[in-house]
Amino acid sequence: MKTDLNDLTQAIIQDPANRTYTQRSVKPLFSVDPQAEILIVGQAPGIKAEKTQKMWNDASGQRLRQWMGVSSAQFYCATKIAILPLDFYYPGRGKSGDLPPRMDFAAKWHPQLWHFLPNIKLTLLVGSYAQRFYLQQPSSTKLTLTVKNYQKYLPKYFPLVHPSPLNYGWLKKNPWFEEQVVPDLQRRIKMILK
């Protein structure tokens, strides 16, 4: 266990599993601060995030901030909101969107980074990959059921559908999400950030 965040970051960069990224001077994307009280766990940075070195820097991020009821300044304030993707590097493009995060990445690095997050009051699990990992769910678990039954996982976790434009159809089929779940999310976040 690394006791210094800079040392841990260097260990991530120097990990042979990340060699192809390091050779291209791509830095791992995550944000942790001991003061943060909210944690966002998503799948992996997109290509735009990799190029700009700014997570959730796309249409998905805009929608996530709307759901949370926070400004861009609040969202990117590391002392308020931490961000830990399941993989800190863009995994590449697949047939219907980005490839999934590497399976063993979060298991290797998240427990070590939690050492630097002693004040987290609420963890947003954005998308099925984050929910399967943190809630220890089998791959057959339906995201809709998990999100619909979000109160079962409170107060520690708040499962959300991924805000990707690819999920706009899901949002239309499930109006209860923006009618009931989003207002509760905003209320809880407002209470934490006050």
Side-chain angles (χ1 to χ4, degrees):
M1 171 81 67
K2 302 285 183 185
T3 56
D4 178 86
L5 185 55
N6 289 328
D7 288 347
L8 183 53
T9 303
Q10 283 306 307
I12 294 167
I13 291 168
Q14 293 166 7
D15 186 331
N18 302 325
R19 183 177 291 122
T20 57
Y21 298 101
T22 305
Q23 288 172 341
R24 293 188 290 121
S25 300
V26 176
K27 295 177 183 164
L29 282 174
F30 66 94
S31 173
V32 297
D33 187 287
Q35 294 180 63
E37 295 182 300
I38 294 171
L39 172 63
I40 298 169
V41 179
Q43 53 188 66
I47 186 66
K48 189 173 181 183
E50 180 183 286
K51 287 179 177 175
T52 62
Q53 286 292 290
K54 192 171 184 181
M55 296 171 283
W56 294 101
N57 185 24
D58 54 15
S60 296
Q62 289 175 1
R63 180 157 284 217
L64 179 59
R65 288 186 283 280
Q66 288 172 355
W67 288 348
M68 293 173 68
V70 297
S71 67
S72 188
Q74 287 174 306
F75 186 85
Y76 289 111
C77 180
T79 58
K80 296 181 185 298
I81 299 174
I83 304 174
L84 267 188
L86 290 182
D87 193 330
F88 305 154
Y89 298 92
Y90 173 59
R93 185 92 180 138
K95 287 182 181 177
S96 61
D98 294 340
L99 290 170
R102 291 173 286 176
M103 295 298 292
D104 56 347
F105 193 94
K108 183 172 187 177
W109 300 111
H110 279 216
Q112 296 182 65
L113 286 160
W114 268 98
H115 175 73
F116 301 97
L117 295 168
N119 292 312
I120 297 298
K121 292 184 170 66
L122 183 65
T123 299
L124 310 187
L125 300 176
V126 184
S128 59
Y129 293 111
Q131 290 161 26
R132 283 182 205 146
F133 182 78
Y134 272 89
L135 303 178
Q136 299 293 294
Q137 295 177 326
S139 58
S140 59
T141 305
K142 300 291 184 198
L143 173 133
T144 301
L145 280 177
T146 301
V147 174
K148 197 164 201 173
N149 295 313
Y150 74 96
Q151 291 177 325
K152 173 182 171 183
Y153 307 100
L154 290 169
K156 188 172 185 177
Y157 298 118
F158 202 121
L160 299 169
V161 65
H162 196 285
S164 165
L166 294 173
N167 286 332
Y168 287 179
W170 185 93
L171 292 168
K172 284 184 180 177
K173 287 182 199 169
N174 298 282
W176 51 265
F177 177 76
E178 291 189 312
E179 291 167 3
Q180 299 164 27
V181 179
V182 169
D184 193 16
L185 174 67
Q186 291 178 353
R187 182 181 62 79
R188 291 171 187 277
I189 287 176
K190 188 174 182 181
M191 283 176 62
I192 294 169
L193 296 180
K194 66 180 177 181

